[in-house]
Amino acid sequence: MYLYTFFLGLIVGSFVNVVICRIPRGQSIVRGRSKCPDCGRKLAWYDLIPVASFLALAGRCRTCGKKISPAYPAIELYSGFTVAVSYWFFAGSSWLAWLFVVFILELFLILAVIDLRHLILPDSLLTALLIGAIVWSSTQKLIGVAGRWQIFDFNSLACAGVLFVVFFIIWLLSHGRGVGFGDVKLAGIVGLIFGF
């Protein structure tokens, strides 16, 4: 089963790459085919097989021969391991718990890479993270794992408030040079999800 979840994670990682590339450009993540960023050629399905296509093409575009960033297969592999390891930790207690953990970890990966490349944390992704956490919190009692991440209890609300205020003060005093306001919002959401 771990091998299956690893391959599932590779596929998730391929989609994560799409999100990382398109969200900062304001492009749709569900419409439009993937293309080479250098020559613009639309990629065939066999050029989009996670990790394998990169290796088969020796890390170069089939048409223009330009180098493909090794970040693409690295993100796919990271996602594969993330999905498999989180399955090992959480699927025994609840499939929904496992899916939530995967959702959170993949969103953190997307946010981290976009932040490293563009120094932004898009509101659309922060909103998705917050909505996912709220949906998870509201369904915990239904699946019998209440209390593991109970959002809106005193612990999570206090932690969200403390982290938001601390990061807001840093942002305010540094005039946005120490941390961006996206970091302030992310800190609050992290506190809300995990508590102290």
Side-chain angles (χ1 to χ4, degrees), residues 44-119:
W45 66 267
Y46 45 80
D47 290 331
L48 298 171
I49 301 169
V51 181
S53 292
F54 180 85
L55 295 174
L57 293 168
R60 295 188 176 273
C61 172
R62 186 183 300 277
T63 303
C64 67
K66 290 284 180 72
K67 280 188 175 182
I68 301 168
S69 171
Y72 290 108
I75 288 169
E76 290 165 352
L77 287 169
Y78 180 87
S79 292
F81 285 113
T82 296
V83 173
V85 170
S86 60
Y87 175 81
W88 181 59
F89 276 104
F90 292 97
S93 58
S94 164
W95 279 82
L96 284 178
W98 170 58
L99 291 175
F100 171 70
V101 168
V102 168
F103 173 77
I104 293 293
L105 292 176
E106 294 295 339
L107 262 175
F108 282 153
L109 171 62
I110 292 168
L111 287 165
V113 175
I114 289 177
D115 197 15
L116 282 170
R117 290 181 179 174
H118 305 282
L119 300 178

Side-chain angles (χ1 to χ4, degrees), residues 107-108 127 143 160 175 179-180:
L107 262 175
F108 282 153
T127 302
I143 61 175
H175 302 287
V179 295

Side-chain angles (χ1 to χ4, degrees), residues 159-160 163-164 167 182-192:
C159 187
L163 287 177
F164 184 88
F167 275 71
D183 298 302
V184 177
K185 292 179 275 189
L186 178 61
I189 295 170
V190 167
L192 195 62

